[in-house]
Amino acid sequence: MSNNLLKGKRGIIFGALNDQSIAWKVAELAHLHGAEFVLTNAPIAMRMGEINHLAEKTGSKVIPADATSVADLEKLIAESMEILGGKIDFILHSIGMSINVRKGNHYTNENYDYTMKGLDVSALSFHKVMQTAMKLDAMNEWGSIVALTYIAAQRIFPDYNDMADNKSYLESIARSFGYHYGQAKKVRVNTISQSPTMTTAGSGVKGFDGFINFSEQMSPLGNATAEDCANYCVAMFSDLTRFVTMQNLFHDGGYSSTGVTQAVMEKFQS
Amino acid sequence: MSNNLLKGKRGIIFGALNDQSIAWKVAELAHLHGAEFVLTNAPIAMRMGEINHLAEKTGSKVIPADATSVADLEKLIAESMEILGGKIDFILHSIGMSINVRKGNHYTNENYDYTMKGLDVSALSFHKVMQTAMKLDAMNEWGSIVALTYIAAQRIFPDYNDMADNKSYLESIARSFGYHYGQAKKVRVNTISQSPTMTTAGSGVKGFDGFINFSEQMSPLGNATAEDCANYCVAMFSDLTRFVTMQNLFHDGGYSSTGVTQAVMEKFQS
Amino acid sequence: MSNNLLKGKRGIIFGALNDQSIAWKVAELAHLHGAEFVLTNAPIAMRMGEINHLAEKTGSKVIPADATSVADLEKLIAESMEILGGKIDFILHSIGMSINVRKGNHYTNENYDYTMKGLDVSALSFHKVMQTAMKLDAMNEWGSIVALTYIAAQRIFPDYNDMADNKSYLESIARSFGYHYGQAKKVRVNTISQSPTMTTAGSGVKGFDGFINFSEQMSPLGNATAEDCANYCVAMFSDLTRFVTMQNLFHDGGYSSTGVTQAVMEKFQS
Amino acid sequence: MSNNLLKGKRGIIFGALNDQSIAWKVAELAHLHGAEFVLTNAPIAMRMGEINHLAEKTGSKVIPADATSVADLEKLIAESMEILGGKIDFILHSIGMSINVRKGNHYTNENYDYTMKGLDVSALSFHKVMQTAMKLDAMNEWGSIVALTYIAAQRIFPDYNDMADNKSYLESIARSFGYHYGQAKKVRVNTISQSPTMTTAGSGVKGFDGFINFSEQMSPLGNATAEDCANYCVAMFSDLTRFVTMQNLFHDGGYSSTGVTQAVMEKFQS
């Protein structure tokens, strides 16, 4: 595609861990569409990843930052503006992690220190990014900020655990901050509620295979892939969607509006 | 139960076809709670049913009425006030029928005359009941009007066909008329979105067994029965819920907020 | 903008009445993005409009069609494929009309013949368009169908009258048909819930000025204009949004997620 | 009213601060309906309140407990079962507090320690109550747990600040825990989204008068009072609503389904 929907736009992309990551696909596609951006990830996550290959491929700089640390975020955003030569037009927040999930704590047996830490990483970090950007006056008017979420914020999936509550909090931050950032600077803030995606993060969830299979069979168009999601992110970063804000946008092949499909029903008929 | 939550209240109950009907259970329970009411059904439906037994059991009169006929509704409501000795406190609308479903027309092959007729019976009738009641000034202040609906108004079930669109229209009428009736007379209007229920109406839907089975396994508390629904209707007719209006209330054992259950997932794991 | 997001795509655009119409703006922008399309409108509406100027400007043909007539739609779609040289990639449905509103009938005093006629024009026509397209196998895979709607489908605005119920029905059709068209042909179907827009259609609603003013003050980004809406439609027709289906998408400057703004609150403080 | 809907039921009521509190009204009404219960509040809140009068009036014991302390909750629940002579049938969670609001920190200038503390008190405490109850096997089958919330979880009110995010998290906990408690013990969990209410807690929010006034004029039935809310809580604790779970129930005089009222519109017409 020869489009350049993001030409002249500057961004910051959180969460590109490896080439299965949605954020990775967003970076590749944003680059094709003419954007310039900084890549960032938690120092510990970055050592595991191959982010430098992505940086090379897209002509980007990498700045490590712990998204729960306001100091790190201040440094990240200030340096990004310097590197990119101006204010920021788009931010992708693709960060999530539940220690309770990792440790195998059932939802009814949470360790509350883990709960708080997971919330900080998965949700409050989104507020911190925006609060820091606002304090540094780092966003251009009509800038676009997107965080990735999952429908567990609305409907319960037993193994998704406290990530459901984290995603609800994240989506609420999008609305709350979207209100204030919209009024103050015409910046828009949305969440994209993506099909379950076989990323490194996703594969940490127990029974994830069955989960993806169920979702595939419950979606009239099938599950959206990471590449599809990147396309949608580019649309949301572009000037085509300037009046969409404070929304949770389902990108899921119709899953969210489907009660049941023929294929699934057949498993329940005698 | 020795309660008399509806003591002194007068009602009209549409749709008691036989002892599997939700409306039938509502009539029985409303009677136990001290209400007096008129039973009504379409003349053609009544010949098939056993409504006279219900009338006897509950000390009620039966007035046949085609709910799509404003003339019939005028007669029904006027006579009901006369029989019951005053204005009406509650109305149950439990009516629905799709000719496209009956005739086996797929949703993508609708006969539009059937569509319109089904809409008139299943949804517009609800407006006609309320418009007629309002013109006759037939409702007491803080009266409560309830229509039964199904989650197909929000999420698609392939065999539910144009009833999904009818239920969406019905729920919209509840909001629209609820606004105006609330402002004018403090009458509240709500829909109850009930689990699939093995009634005569329900059993007309193709693959209904699998449907109910799926729903049962997807509901943390299981499907709500017709008796449970009657309990909820009584709560909604009582003075305990006077400020609930213009709502669609899920009465479904948690189905609507469940993404998947362990039991369902197991069918999708390899 | 030098983009050509719709290059090679063929469409049908319903409802371009004059240069205030959203459909008019969509046609202009789709043309800039490389699409070819047919314009259509009801014969009676067309006589009032200036659609031929738009056709000239965009190199389009005009085919009059009453969207409630299946025969007209069959002719429209068959001829469109012939003129455009292949199957269709996108359809815009921007049609709505309430005779009850025009005649000044209050919502609690509907004339039900008018109600049915308005529903046919405003909502059932959307089903007819898709059913006809499906029968003629007229859509390409991953085609995109969009209808315009308004938040009155979710929340009541007293003067919007039976259009609220029509829009609920319309949005339900998008879900229902989206399910079946997605499964059968990977065609996606969505509604865009647009800010109130000062079009010829909009200005027919009583008190529309106050309505638009209220909405403007209740939207963190202000009301979205017809041009903005055209941008969003182009995004929804493009390949960037292939896994978005069966959704109602708010394009409203944040209105739908705003409880109140500071500006509005000030009118209620003593 | 001579009803005894809660006869034989045992409960725990959190958050009765003074006679303006919703929890206070719930205690009074639950007592009239035959329930026996324990009252609890944070030690610091209790010194300010008049909870002992309520305890006397309703024949209840008071057990101080910090709802963020699992140890306190364990003691509370264990002692409650002892005092009441058996397992618990209902719990009311009416707790909320934002330090950012108290300190006057704007939403875009949060102190994150305050944010975390407010979340713990306002939302995570609800999880802690249920996790503790489940570990102690303290709930009877078909027990009912309700937390109070506000529509700011869905739509932004500028001064509601981080309480919006807290309420979103709270409502998510209701769904998440409702799933697990429903499956394990048939216990239901819901939130009631109440009109703004002039309680001591409510009056801490900036511009609360205008807020209540706006809400009153935007609600077809007017704002629901604390007494009305108590009625609804009793309905939700009773056996009439056993299949309602994982829901957020609006108790708001129709506010949530109203776009605008005539009264509000008039302020925006020229």
Side-chain angles (χ1 to χ4, degrees):
Chain A
M1 200 157 32
S2 62
N3 287 300
N4 46 9
L5 275 172
L6 303 183
K7 186 162 182 170
K9 292 199 187 293
R10 305 177 193 99
I12 301 176
I13 295 175
F14 290 79
L17 183 65
N18 58 35
D19 65 5
Q20 293 191 297
S21 310
I22 293 172
W24 188 285
K25 307 292 186 189
V26 172
E28 291 183 331
L29 197 65
H31 175 63
L32 283 178
H33 275 279
E36 294 180 53
F37 46 83
V38 164
L39 298 167
T40 183
N41 223 332
I44 191 167
M46 234 152 17
R47 280 195 296 274
M48 307 181 306
E50 306 123 47
I51 201 169
N52 286 332
H53 295 118
L54 179 64
E56 226 170 284
K57 191 175 173 184
T58 60
S60 308
K61 286 276 188 299
V62 179
I63 303 178
D66 173 355
T68 66
S69 156
V70 172
D72 278 21
L73 291 171
E74 282 170 352
K75 184 171 164 297
L76 166 68
I77 294 174
E79 288 186 8
S80 293
M81 286 195 284
E82 221 175 275
I83 290 168
L84 299 170
K87 291 190 187 181
I88 306 303
D89 298 292
F90 66 90
I91 295 175
L92 178 71
H93 179 282
S94 176
I95 305 174
M97 185 269 302
S98 159
I99 310 181
N100 282 309
V101 168
R102 288 196 184 176
K103 300 284 188 182
N105 291 344
H106 192 264
Y107 183 75
T108 61
N109 187 29
E110 284 193 7
N111 171 315
Y112 293 112
D113 289 336
Y114 294 170
T115 304
M116 283 298 203
K117 181 65 188 159
L119 180 86
D120 196 14
V121 172
S122 307
L124 200 55
S125 63
F126 191 42
H127 191 287
K128 290 176 177 175
V129 168
M130 292 192 281
Q131 179 161 308
T132 305
M134 196 181 235
K135 286 190 178 174
L136 297 177
D137 192 16
M139 293 291 295
N140 274 319
E141 282 210 349
W142 298 108
S144 174
I145 300 176
V146 167
L148 297 182
T149 186
Y150 183 58
I151 194 174
Q154 286 76 40
R155 302 182 205 159
I156 301 315
F157 298 79
D159 298 324
Y160 207 73
N161 213 306
D162 59 348
M163 278 304 291
D165 305 334
N166 291 341
K167 291 300 196 188
S168 290
Y169 194 88
L170 178 84
E171 294 177 14
S172 183
I173 289 173
R175 287 186 294 271
S176 294
F177 221 108
Y179 172 87
H180 293 291
Y181 228 154
Q183 292 248 311
K185 291 279 170 181
K186 297 207 172 295
V187 170
R188 63 201 198 272
V189 185
N190 296 284
T191 48
I192 292 179
S193 188
Q194 160 70 5
S195 294
T197 315
M198 195 44 99
T199 62
T200 304
S203 54
V205 180
K206 200 180 100 191
F208 201 68
D209 275 24
F211 197 35
I212 285 206
N213 188 15
F214 170 70
S215 179
E216 175 76 21
Q217 295 197 35
M218 282 285 274
S219 305
L221 300 178
N223 287 328
T225 67
E227 285 86 357
D228 298 316
C229 189
N231 273 304
Y232 198 36
C233 288
V234 165
M236 291 310 300
F237 293 151
S238 81
D239 291 333
L240 296 169
T241 55
R242 298 218 295 195
F243 278 83
V244 180
T245 194
M246 304 166 71
Q247 302 299 313
N248 182 40
L249 301 160
F250 288 102
H251 182 256
D252 62 1
Y255 176 88
S256 48
S257 297
T258 298
V260 76
T261 56
Q262 208 54 51
V264 170
M265 276 286 279
E266 277 160 17
K267 294 188 187 266
F268 294 87
Q269 263 144 349
S270 48
Chain B
M1 202 158 32
S2 60
N3 288 300
N4 45 9
L5 274 171
L6 303 184
K7 185 161 183 172
K9 292 199 187 292
R10 306 175 192 99
I12 301 177
I13 295 176
F14 289 80
L17 184 64
N18 57 37
D19 65 5
Q20 292 191 297
S21 310
I22 293 172
W24 187 285
K25 307 291 186 191
V26 172
E28 291 182 331
L29 198 64
H31 175 65
L32 284 178
H33 275 279
E36 294 179 52
F37 45 83
V38 163
L39 298 167
T40 183
N41 223 332
I44 190 165
M46 234 152 14
R47 280 195 297 275
M48 305 182 307
E50 306 123 47
I51 201 168
N52 286 331
H53 296 118
L54 180 63
E56 225 170 288
K57 191 174 173 183
T58 60
S60 308
K61 285 275 188 302
V62 179
I63 301 177
D66 172 356
T68 67
S69 157
V70 172
D72 278 22
L73 292 171
E74 282 169 352
K75 183 171 165 295
L76 165 68
I77 294 173
E79 288 187 8
S80 294
M81 287 194 286
E82 221 175 274
I83 290 168
L84 300 170
K87 291 190 187 181
I88 306 303
D89 297 291
F90 66 89
I91 296 175
L92 177 71
H93 179 282
S94 176
I95 305 174
M97 185 270 302
S98 159
I99 311 182
N100 282 310
V101 168
R102 288 195 183 177
K103 301 284 188 181
N105 290 343
H106 192 264
Y107 183 76
T108 62
N109 187 31
E110 284 193 6
N111 172 314
Y112 294 112
D113 290 335
Y114 295 169
T115 305
M116 282 298 203
K117 180 65 187 160
L119 180 84
D120 196 15
V121 172
S122 308
L124 199 54
S125 63
F126 190 43
H127 191 286
K128 290 176 178 175
V129 167
M130 292 191 281
Q131 179 162 307
T132 304
M134 196 182 235
K135 285 190 180 175
L136 297 178
D137 192 15
M139 293 292 295
N140 275 319
E141 281 210 352
W142 299 108
S144 174
I145 300 176
V146 167
L148 297 183
T149 186
Y150 183 58
I151 194 173
Q154 285 77 40
R155 302 181 206 161
I156 301 314
F157 298 79
D159 298 324
Y160 206 74
N161 212 305
D162 59 348
M163 278 305 291
D165 305 333
N166 292 342
K167 290 300 195 188
S168 289
Y169 194 88
L170 178 83
E171 294 176 13
S172 183
I173 288 173
R175 288 186 293 271
S176 294
F177 221 108
Y179 173 87
H180 293 291
Y181 228 154
Q183 292 249 309
K185 292 278 170 179
K186 298 209 172 293
V187 170
R188 61 201 199 272
V189 185
N190 296 285
T191 49
I192 292 179
S193 189
Q194 160 71 2
S195 294
T197 316
M198 194 45 98
T199 62
T200 304
S203 55
V205 179
K206 202 180 98 192
F208 201 68
D209 275 22
F211 196 37
I212 285 206
N213 188 14
F214 170 70
S215 178
E216 175 77 21
Q217 295 197 34
M218 282 285 274
S219 305
L221 298 179
N223 288 327
T225 66
E227 283 85 358
D228 298 315
C229 189
N231 273 303
Y232 198 34
C233 288
V234 165
M236 292 309 300
F237 293 152
S238 80
D239 291 333
L240 295 170
T241 56
R242 298 217 297 193
F243 278 82
V244 179
T245 193
M246 305 167 71
Q247 301 299 313
N248 181 41
L249 302 161
F250 289 102
H251 181 258
D252 63 0
Y255 176 88
S256 49
S257 297
T258 299
V260 75
T261 55
Q262 208 54 49
V264 170
M265 276 286 279
E266 276 160 18
K267 296 188 186 265
F268 295 86
Q269 262 144 349
S270 47
Chain C
M1 201 159 32
S2 61
N3 287 301
N4 47 9
L5 275 173
L6 304 183
K7 185 161 182 171
K9 292 199 187 295
R10 305 177 194 98
I12 301 177
I13 295 175
F14 290 79
L17 184 66
N18 58 36
D19 65 5
Q20 293 190 298
S21 310
I22 293 172
W24 188 286
K25 307 293 186 188
V26 172
E28 290 182 332
L29 197 65
H31 175 64
L32 284 177
H33 275 279
E36 295 179 53
F37 46 82
V38 164
L39 299 167
T40 183
N41 223 331
I44 191 167
M46 235 154 12
R47 280 195 297 274
M48 307 182 306
E50 305 124 49
I51 200 168
N52 286 332
H53 295 120
L54 178 65
E56 226 170 285
K57 190 175 172 184
T58 61
S60 308
K61 286 276 189 301
V62 179
I63 301 177
D66 172 355
T68 67
S69 156
V70 171
D72 277 22
L73 291 171
E74 282 169 353
K75 185 172 164 296
L76 165 69
I77 294 174
E79 286 186 10
S80 294
M81 286 195 286
E82 221 176 273
I83 290 168
L84 300 171
K87 290 189 188 182
I88 306 304
D89 297 291
F90 66 90
I91 295 176
L92 177 71
H93 180 282
S94 176
I95 304 174
M97 185 269 302
S98 159
I99 311 182
N100 282 309
V101 168
R102 288 196 184 177
K103 300 285 188 181
N105 290 344
H106 192 264
Y107 183 75
T108 61
N109 187 30
E110 284 194 6
N111 171 315
Y112 293 112
D113 290 334
Y114 294 170
T115 305
M116 282 299 203
K117 181 64 188 161
L119 180 85
D120 196 15
V121 171
S122 307
L124 199 54
S125 63
F126 191 42
H127 191 287
K128 290 175 178 175
V129 167
M130 292 191 281
Q131 179 161 308
T132 305
M134 196 181 235
K135 285 191 179 174
L136 297 177
D137 192 15
M139 292 293 293
N140 274 319
E141 282 209 350
W142 299 108
S144 175
I145 300 176
V146 167
L148 297 184
T149 187
Y150 183 58
I151 194 173
Q154 285 77 40
R155 302 182 206 160
I156 301 315
F157 298 79
D159 298 323
Y160 206 74
N161 212 306
D162 59 349
M163 278 304 292
D165 305 334
N166 292 342
K167 291 300 196 188
S168 289
Y169 194 89
L170 178 84
E171 294 176 14
S172 184
I173 288 173
R175 288 187 293 271
S176 294
F177 222 108
Y179 173 87
H180 293 291
Y181 228 154
Q183 292 249 311
K185 292 279 170 180
K186 297 208 173 293
V187 170
R188 62 202 197 271
V189 185
N190 297 285
T191 49
I192 293 179
S193 187
Q194 161 69 5
S195 294
T197 316
M198 194 44 98
T199 62
T200 304
S203 54
V205 180
K206 201 180 98 192
F208 202 67
D209 276 24
F211 196 36
I212 285 206
N213 188 15
F214 171 71
S215 178
E216 175 76 22
Q217 295 197 35
M218 281 285 275
S219 305
L221 298 178
N223 288 328
T225 66
E227 284 85 358
D228 299 315
C229 189
N231 273 305
Y232 198 36
C233 288
V234 165
M236 292 310 300
F237 293 151
S238 81
D239 291 333
L240 295 170
T241 56
R242 298 219 294 197
F243 278 82
V244 180
T245 193
M246 305 167 69
Q247 301 300 312
N248 182 41
L249 302 160
F250 288 102
H251 182 258
D252 62 1
Y255 175 88
S256 49
S257 296
T258 299
V260 76
T261 56
Q262 208 54 50
V264 170
M265 276 286 280
E266 277 160 17
K267 295 188 187 264
F268 294 86
Q269 262 144 349
S270 48
Chain D
M1 201 159 33
S2 60
N3 287 300
N4 46 7
L5 275 171
L6 303 184
K7 185 163 182 170
K9 293 198 187 294
R10 305 176 193 98
I12 302 176
I13 295 176
F14 289 79
L17 185 63
N18 58 36
D19 65 5
Q20 292 191 299
S21 309
I22 293 172
W24 188 285
K25 307 292 186 189
V26 172
E28 291 182 331
L29 197 65
H31 175 64
L32 283 178
H33 275 278
E36 294 178 52
F37 46 82
V38 163
L39 298 167
T40 183
N41 224 331
I44 190 166
M46 235 153 14
R47 281 195 296 274
M48 306 182 305
E50 307 122 48
I51 201 168
N52 286 332
H53 296 119
L54 179 64
E56 226 171 286
K57 189 175 174 185
T58 61
S60 309
K61 285 274 188 304
V62 179
I63 302 177
D66 172 356
T68 67
S69 157
V70 172
D72 278 21
L73 292 171
E74 282 169 352
K75 184 171 165 297
L76 166 69
I77 294 173
E79 288 186 7
S80 294
M81 287 195 285
E82 222 175 273
I83 291 169
L84 300 170
K87 291 191 187 181
I88 306 302
D89 297 290
F90 66 90
I91 295 175
L92 177 72
H93 179 283
S94 176
I95 306 174
M97 184 270 302
S98 160
I99 311 181
N100 282 308
V101 168
R102 288 195 184 177
K103 300 285 188 181
N105 290 345
H106 192 263
Y107 183 75
T108 61
N109 187 29
E110 283 193 8
N111 172 315
Y112 293 112
D113 290 336
Y114 295 170
T115 305
M116 283 298 204
K117 181 67 187 159
L119 180 85
D120 196 15
V121 172
S122 307
L124 200 54
S125 62
F126 190 43
H127 192 286
K128 290 175 178 175
V129 167
M130 292 191 281
Q131 179 162 308
T132 305
M134 196 183 236
K135 285 191 179 173
L136 297 178
D137 192 16
M139 292 292 295
N140 274 319
E141 281 211 350
W142 299 107
S144 175
I145 300 175
V146 167
L148 297 183
T149 186
Y150 183 58
I151 194 173
Q154 285 77 39
R155 303 182 205 160
I156 301 314
F157 297 78
D159 298 324
Y160 206 73
N161 213 304
D162 59 347
M163 278 305 291
D165 305 333
N166 292 342
K167 292 299 196 188
S168 289
Y169 194 89
L170 178 84
E171 294 177 13
S172 183
I173 288 173
R175 288 187 294 273
S176 295
F177 221 108
Y179 172 87
H180 293 290
Y181 228 154
Q183 292 249 309
K185 291 279 170 180
K186 297 209 171 293
V187 170
R188 61 201 200 273
V189 185
N190 296 284
T191 48
I192 293 179
S193 188
Q194 160 71 3
S195 295
T197 315
M198 194 46 97
T199 61
T200 304
S203 54
V205 179
K206 201 180 99 190
F208 202 66
D209 275 22
F211 196 36
I212 285 206
N213 189 14
F214 170 70
S215 178
E216 175 77 20
Q217 296 197 33
M218 282 285 273
S219 305
L221 298 179
N223 288 328
T225 66
E227 283 85 358
D228 298 315
C229 189
N231 273 304
Y232 198 35
C233 288
V234 165
M236 293 309 301
F237 292 151
S238 81
D239 290 333
L240 296 169
T241 56
R242 298 216 298 194
F243 278 81
V244 179
T245 193
M246 303 166 72
Q247 303 299 313
N248 182 40
L249 302 160
F250 288 103
H251 182 258
D252 63 0
Y255 176 88
S256 50
S257 296
T258 299
V260 76
T261 55
Q262 208 55 50
V264 170
M265 276 286 279
E266 277 160 18
K267 296 187 186 267
F268 295 86
Q269 263 144 349
S270 47

